[in-house]
Amino acid sequence: AAPASVMARLPEQHAKVRLSPIRRPEEMHGYRCRVVTMTCQGFLPMLILAHLIGAVDLDAALAAFWKELYSWPQLHAPMAEATVAATSFAMWITWFWVLNEVPWLQRFRLVSRGLDIQRSKELSLGMAEEKVSVRPSTFVLCTDAGTFLRIVASLPAYLGAIWALHRVRNTAALTPEPPTAVRLGLEVVLGLIAYDFIFYWIHLFMHRCPSSWHGHDVHHRHKRHPICGTAFLAAELVVNHSLADGALQVMTNIFIQNLPLFGGMPKHKLSRLVHNIVVTYMLSEAHSGCDYPWSLHRVLPRIYGGAYRHEFHHHYRNCCFHQFFCYLDDLLGYGPPDEKTS
């Protein structure tokens, strides 16, 4: 739990926010859910073990996969990486939006809106003061106009900026040699750790020094229930940024992608593509507002913060500044508040 002094470390206006109750629906995670979590926890270690004992040849599989990809002319285009990143964001946002619409999975929401739905039914039936018929989960209904426009404009703005960058900076030619499984794994994992570490300090600075020039406050605008005003996160809000804030994230990622993380060699193109797919998933999941059995914060407890901690960050704004991993927040005393008082 974060110490009481956390509230005094950050600007006063960040403490004056309207909070919605955040829960961790442990009562929903029964035996079957724990089996799903344990299966996810064991998949990657079992795959690595199978590779080490020769039961599975990941190097051969990667070689065949890269040979196929290398034959695609689209992959040699300068905009290939940016297109993969933008497409991945759109895919993961859609994926979590669909999951959030499944009635059985709505029990895993970190901010419960069950009472809101009941209230909507009462209003539509005339049992309350005013007749209103709403769907609280509707994408547009719970999003203000400015946020909606930023979400829609984020993809063309990102692709346009990368296109302009490639007008002044050439991309390196692809190498036909495939990466080994070890190289791919290390380049992706080290890239995630480096991205998380570098952007942590940028993120913390934007909270310690709020300003209109970086406009990070824009990113903390939630979706809001139209009747009771409950504020909650949703995956599409991952791309709700000011231009400066979004540019800082993109520049951090570009810097990480160009670091020689394996034996001083330039990062392999396949590692760069996998990095973009994984990062966009992790960021989208962190903003999903849900505590699924397969969520990464359950698969990697005490290591990965995920949607649970990020929900606290968006509501409280004075804790959980990491993108992915918990260690910096835990070391600096910026962990989530005590669940009993949240």
Side-chain angles (χ1 to χ4, degrees):
S5 59
V6 166
M7 299 295 289
R9 299 184 188 180
L10 296 165
E12 184 179 356
Q13 62 266 38
H14 278 189
K16 296 180 179 180
V17 293
R18 181 178 179 181
L19 305 179
S20 296
I22 301 170
R23 66 191 184 114
R24 191 165 191 175
E26 295 291 348
E27 68 277 7
M28 301 301 178
H29 287 265
Y31 172 76
R32 293 180 180 178
C33 291
R34 289 194 293 271
V35 169
V36 172
T37 301
M38 293 174 64
T39 301
C40 295
Q41 290 173 330
F43 175 76
L44 190 57
M46 291 299 295
L47 184 62
I48 294 174
L49 179 61
H51 175 70
L52 293 176
I53 65 177
V56 175
D57 190 348
L58 294 179
D59 291 334
L62 281 175
F65 182 61
W66 179 245
K67 182 179 179 181
E68 174 64 24
L69 285 183
Y70 189 80
S71 67
W72 295 3
Q74 298 89 342
L75 197 64
H76 296 259
M79 291 292 292
E81 283 186 45
T83 302
V84 168
T87 304
S88 297
F89 255 138
M91 178 181 67
W92 296 131
I93 289 171
T94 303
W95 168 248
F96 284 110
W97 180 82
V98 170
L99 289 181
N100 200 34
E101 294 298 304
V102 178
W104 181 80
L105 293 176
Q106 290 176 2
R107 69 186 72 185
F108 298 115
R109 288 171 171 173
L110 288 163
V111 175
S112 176
R113 301 191 291 282
L115 293 178
D116 305 339
I117 296 174
Q118 179 62 34
R119 173 66 172 169
S120 300
K121 292 179 179 178
E122 292 176 359
L123 287 172
S124 64
L125 294 173
M127 298 169 61
E129 299 176 359
E130 178 183 356
K131 286 191 175 182
V132 179
S133 180
V134 301
R135 278 189 67 205
S137 58
T138 302
F139 175 83
V140 179
L141 187 62
C142 299
T143 309
D144 65 75
T147 299
F148 179 77
L149 289 175
R150 280 189 297 273
I151 292 171
V152 173
S154 61
L155 189 149
Y158 166 72
L159 291 176
I162 300 301
W163 178 86
L165 176 64
H166 286 309
R167 303 282 69 79
V168 297
R169 182 179 181 273
N170 295 323
T171 57
L174 271 65
T175 174
E177 292 79 19
T180 63
V182 172
R183 179 181 178 181
L184 178 67
L186 284 177
E187 286 185 335
V188 172
V189 171
L190 292 176
L192 295 174
I193 294 172
Y195 175 86
D196 180 70
F197 179 83
I198 292 174
F199 195 75
Y200 180 90
W201 305 106
I202 298 173
H203 190 194
L204 183 61
F205 167 79
M206 288 192 291
H207 277 271
R208 294 294 296 268
C209 303
S211 172
S212 59
W213 76 262
H214 58 68
H216 182 64
D217 186 68
V218 168
H219 183 61
H220 281 265
R221 296 179 185 175
H222 300 91
K223 299 183 79 171
R224 192 169 292 277
H225 191 283
I227 295 176
C228 68
T230 301
F232 57 94
L233 270 181
E236 56 268 22
L237 296 180
V238 67
V239 292
N240 180 38
H241 293 287
S242 67
L243 284 175
D245 189 2
L248 287 171
Q249 291 217 32
V250 171
M251 288 189 291
T252 301
N253 198 58
I254 291 173
F255 174 74
I256 296 303
Q257 290 283 58
N258 288 279
L259 288 179
L261 299 173
F262 185 83
M265 295 183 291
K267 198 172 184 178
H268 195 278
K269 187 72 168 183
L270 184 57
S271 300
R272 296 167 69 103
L273 296 174
V274 172
H275 172 95
N276 282 339
I277 295 171
V278 172
V279 163
T280 52
Y281 173 84
M282 294 165 77
L283 290 172
S284 299
E285 187 196 77
H287 290 80
S288 68
C290 293
D291 182 27
Y292 298 120
W294 58 85
S295 294
L296 289 175
H297 63 269
R298 287 195 173 269
V299 177
L300 298 171
R302 296 182 295 278
I303 297 175
Y304 189 85
Y308 178 63
R309 286 198 174 200
H310 206 64
E311 191 81 40
F312 279 106
H313 172 72
H314 268 257
H315 285 269
Y316 283 74
R317 305 190 186 194
N318 59 7
C319 62
C320 306
F321 298 101
H322 60 273
Q323 295 286 297
F324 306 133
F325 305 109
C326 302
Y327 69 101
L328 285 173
D329 277 328
D330 290 345
L331 285 173
L332 298 176
Y334 289 129
D338 183 19
E339 292 182 65
K340 294 181 181 179
T341 62
S342 65

